[in-house]
Amino acid sequence: MVNVKGGTRPPWVGLGAAVWLQIASGNAYNFPLYSHSLKSVLGFNQQQLTMLGVANDIGENVGLIPGLVCNKFPPWVVLLIGSFSCFFGYGVLWLSLSQTVQNLPYWLLWIALCVATNSSAWFSTTVLVTNMRNFPLSRGTVAGILKGYGGLSAAVYTEVYSALLRNSSSKLVLFLALGVPTLSLLMMYFIRPCTPSLGEDSSESYHFLFVQVASIVLGVYVLTTTILDDVFSLNVYVSYTFLVIMVVLLMAPLAIPVKMTFYPSNKGKSGVSDASEKSEPLLTPSSSATNLGSFQEGDEISEVDMLLAEGEGAVKKKRRPRRGEDFKFTEALVKADFWLLFLVYFFGVGSGVTVLNNLAQIGIAQGLHDTKILLSLFSFCNFVGRLGGGVLSEYFVRLKALPRTVWMTCTQVVMIITYLLFASALNGTLYAATALLGICYGVQFTTMVPTASELFGLKHFGIIFNFMSLGNPLGAYLFSGLLAGFLYDNEAAKQHTSTCLGPNCFRVTFLILAGVCGLGTMLSIVLTMRIKPVYQMLYAGGSFRLPQSSNH
């Protein structure tokens, strides 16, 4: 049995630590910061570079093994594996980029990058699964916060890249190889399963609001300081000051457990004493949820009577779970809603990651020489989309039992317009299109996560969520590696240069991506109509009700 921490303060300590690990898990977003150096120092063409981008996305999103491991071992074991993955992968990449070891084969660098960014899957799976189980009644809010910080990580790394590492790609890769594992080792003690609060607590909503506001302040601050540093070329001392303030803002969520330590609230609110909490496992038996109500009808027979009836052959073995209950991974695989959600997510993030992987080249093709601001803008808007998607979907699902996938539909419509803006290459549209795409890309992430948990439960959420995440690398391979890279190199060959310039470099790619999101929009509408009754049952009365058969 996993050691479960009791009390109301530990889950908030874990959430504060999870913020740092979500920033660490965004290490894969750094690819645009050093991709140009890979191309120039190692002499790769654009298709080779985009295939490295595919390795970057495969590593980041293939988390089936972390999803299985997180159900078998405590969180610190999963984080330790991620730390080793990060160290060895980025270590090999640094040896090549710094020319410490020359002529490393391309296939080895491809595997090294895949291993390095796979640390993201280990980190994010650990913090997401643990914290969503610690806050099972606020899973949309928690997903929005954690995924929001993950989206903000690119802007944080850009600040570190500019202020601390002075725009050195090799130093950035070395920082990822040493700094990220060190941070994981420091935080792993605080990421642990805690007794979930299953009662209404008015202070909890204020605590979540504080974390959300703190993340917004951090996002605005990082974007502003990045622009100031780029425009005014600030001296090293000012840059270091900016960096220190950023670190302080990252520590803001820890103010909640500090406040709870010095000003403890009435422990009787939840109706459960700490002594009794400490004896409960993280995945409590189904009977613990009966006081919350159930949307199941005709399930009044006791579990003992059911077992006796099964033994005597009077009834068949337990039926397969219904949507909203805990599914095994194999049970979820045969559901149409599972594959609809996967395809909608695949079309949304798969097309978005194509732009992200080629963001530096898109900027250069349209006459932008410094693409740091472009990446920072995408990162900030990605953060806004993730945080805003979590807040909006949580508000409307409680107010009107509105399926979260409605927001996937809306954002994919906006993505169609955005890709057409990119394709037009009109003056002044590059930044606007990048910002819009960042927001929509973020909403896709933060909507899929709680939707998967609500349809298929939290018990096997780790592997289900990570299977959904395969839509990202699959999209990167098809739309970025095979499509965008091929078309870019063809256009560059026509210009007799290795660097393609002009709107034709990516125009056809953007038009195809617009069509892809059109298909995603239609599938999203179908999915929303199918799961609407599930949400009406889950959120009847304006608050989430655990199904009677769920093992949370």
Side-chain angles (χ1 to χ4, degrees):
M1 171 141 344
V2 177
N3 184 27
V4 180
K5 191 74 173 175
T8 57
R9 185 171 60 90
W12 293 100
V13 175
L15 187 65
V19 163
W20 285 82
L21 283 169
Q22 274 298 105
I23 296 292
S25 73
N27 61 76
Y29 289 120
N30 288 285
F31 185 71
L33 291 178
Y34 59 83
S35 61
H36 62 283
S37 294
L38 290 174
K39 190 172 184 179
S40 59
V41 174
L42 304 180
F44 295 148
N45 60 33
Q46 185 63 24
Q47 192 159 19
Q48 287 177 309
L49 191 65
T50 53
M51 289 308 295
L52 283 177
V54 172
N56 185 80
D57 293 307
I58 288 175
E60 179 189 8
N61 294 284
V62 177
L64 296 179
I65 296 178
L68 289 170
V69 172
C70 75
N71 260 16
K72 304 292 184 181
F73 297 95
W76 69 266
V77 173
V78 190
L79 293 175
L80 188 63
I81 296 172
S83 300
F84 281 116
S85 173
C86 189
F87 173 74
F88 287 112
Y90 282 116
V92 171
L93 207 63
W94 175 78
L95 290 174
S96 180
L97 192 58
S98 64
Q99 298 287 281
T100 303
V101 177
Q102 297 185 353
N103 299 322
L104 286 177
Y106 178 84
W107 63 265
L108 180 60
L109 295 178
W110 196 94
I111 293 174
L113 185 56
C114 200
V115 170
T117 56
N118 193 236
S119 63
S120 299
W122 293 91
F123 295 149
S124 62
T125 297
T126 307
V127 298
L128 197 61
V129 171
T130 303
N131 280 277
M132 286 185 69
R133 287 174 175 172
N134 288 347
F135 298 99
L137 304 187
S138 303
R139 56 188 74 183
T141 303
V142 171
I145 289 171
L146 293 179
K147 282 297 180 181
Y149 273 102
L152 195 59
S153 60
V156 172
Y157 280 118
T158 303
E159 182 93 2
V160 173
Y161 176 70
S162 301
L164 185 64
L165 307 176
R166 313 312 296 173
N167 300 321
S168 170
S169 295
S170 62
K171 288 181 180 178
L172 173 63
V173 175
L174 182 61
F175 174 81
L176 296 175
L178 300 178
V180 172
T182 301
L183 178 63
S184 174
L185 295 174
L186 291 174
M187 292 292 127
M188 65 170 55
Y189 173 78
F190 304 102
I191 306 296
R192 59 174 67 187
C194 305
T195 303
S197 173
L198 298 178
E200 294 295 331
D201 186 354
S202 60
S203 64
E204 188 170 281
S205 60
Y206 292 109
H207 291 159
F208 280 129
L209 180 62
F210 173 80
V211 178
Q212 290 164 343
V213 171
S215 65
I216 292 170
V217 171
L218 174 65
V220 173
Y221 173 81
V222 172
L223 180 63
T224 303
T225 53
T226 300
I227 294 173
L228 288 175
D229 186 55
D230 187 72
V231 173
F232 296 106
S233 299
L234 303 173
N235 66 55
V236 65
Y237 298 107
V238 175
S239 297
Y240 285 165
T241 302
F242 284 165
L243 198 61
V244 170
I245 296 173
M246 183 187 74
V247 172
V248 172
L249 291 174
L250 278 168
M251 296 175 67
L254 293 174
I256 295 172
V258 170
K259 174 249 182 187
M260 296 175 78
T261 300
F262 289 103
Y263 302 99
S265 61
N266 183 7
K267 294 182 181 180
K269 280 184 179 181
S270 64
V272 183
S273 68
D274 282 353
S276 64
E277 283 178 346
K278 291 178 182 177
S279 64
E280 295 178 0
L282 178 63
L283 300 178
T284 55
S286 59
S287 57
S288 66
T290 55
N291 63 315
L292 298 172
S294 172
F295 58 76
Q296 304 295 338
E297 295 182 2
D299 286 343
E300 296 177 357
I301 184 171
S302 71
E303 292 182 4
V304 174
D305 290 338
M306 180 62 75
L307 288 173
L308 289 173
E310 287 176 359
E312 296 170 359
V315 298
K316 295 182 179 180
K317 294 289 284 183
K318 184 182 177 182
R319 60 170 174 78
R320 289 183 177 182
R322 299 171 184 171
R323 292 175 302 178
E325 299 175 354
D326 284 322
F327 279 70
K328 294 179 181 178
F329 178 61
T330 52
E331 292 172 333
L333 278 176
V334 299
K335 292 295 182 181
D337 293 337
F338 181 92
W339 290 106
L340 280 171
L341 182 60
F342 176 83
L343 288 173
V344 171
Y345 182 74
F346 160 66
F347 290 138
V349 299
S351 60
V353 78
T354 302
V355 177
L356 179 59
N357 284 351
N358 294 278
L359 197 57
Q361 287 71 38
I362 291 169
I364 292 170
Q366 296 194 24
L368 189 67
H369 299 292
D370 190 348
T371 58
K372 288 201 305 293
I373 294 179
L374 208 60
L375 178 61
S376 189
L377 178 65
F378 183 93
S379 174
F380 175 74
C381 293
N382 183 20
F383 153 74
V384 170
R386 292 184 182 208
L387 183 66
V391 171
L392 278 176
S393 67
E394 190 73 13
Y395 176 77
F396 282 99
V397 79
R398 291 177 181 271
L399 182 67
K400 296 181 179 288
L402 192 68
R404 298 182 195 271
T405 48
V406 165
W407 304 103
M408 299 181 85
T409 306
C410 294
T411 49
Q412 291 215 21
V413 171
V414 177
M415 288 174 82
I416 296 172
I417 300 170
T418 302
Y419 290 134
L420 295 177
L421 273 179
F422 273 117
S424 71
L426 297 173
N427 289 334
T429 60
L430 179 59
Y431 288 109
T434 301
L436 280 174
L437 183 64
I439 292 172
C440 296
Y441 185 74
V443 171
Q444 298 293 313
F445 264 100
T446 200
T447 304
M448 179 276 288
V449 175
T451 301
S453 75
E454 286 160 340
L455 293 180
F456 306 111
L458 282 173
K459 189 173 183 180
H460 299 282
F461 171 69
I463 187 170
I464 291 172
F465 152 70
N466 276 296
F467 186 90
M468 293 288 174
S469 297
L470 291 176
N472 197 305
L474 182 61
Y477 175 71
L478 294 175
F479 304 137
S480 182
L482 297 184
L483 177 67
F486 175 76
L487 294 175
Y488 180 97
D489 283 338
N490 274 359
E491 186 63 29
K494 294 177 184 177
Q495 298 178 10
H496 305 289
T497 178
S498 61
T499 302
C500 183
L501 298 174
N504 288 333
C505 300
F506 290 98
R507 177 167 285 158
V508 175
T509 299
F510 288 133
L511 293 175
I512 293 174
L513 295 182
V516 164
C517 280
L519 180 57
T521 300
M522 291 187 287
L523 291 180
S524 183
I525 293 172
V526 173
L527 176 61
T528 300
M529 297 303 294
R530 284 177 56 89
I531 65 177
K532 189 175 181 180
V534 181
Y535 275 84
Q536 289 172 341
M537 290 185 290
L538 285 173
Y539 286 93
S543 61
F544 182 76
R545 299 190 301 174
L546 290 171
Q548 193 172 23
S549 62
S550 291
N551 295 330
H552 303 320

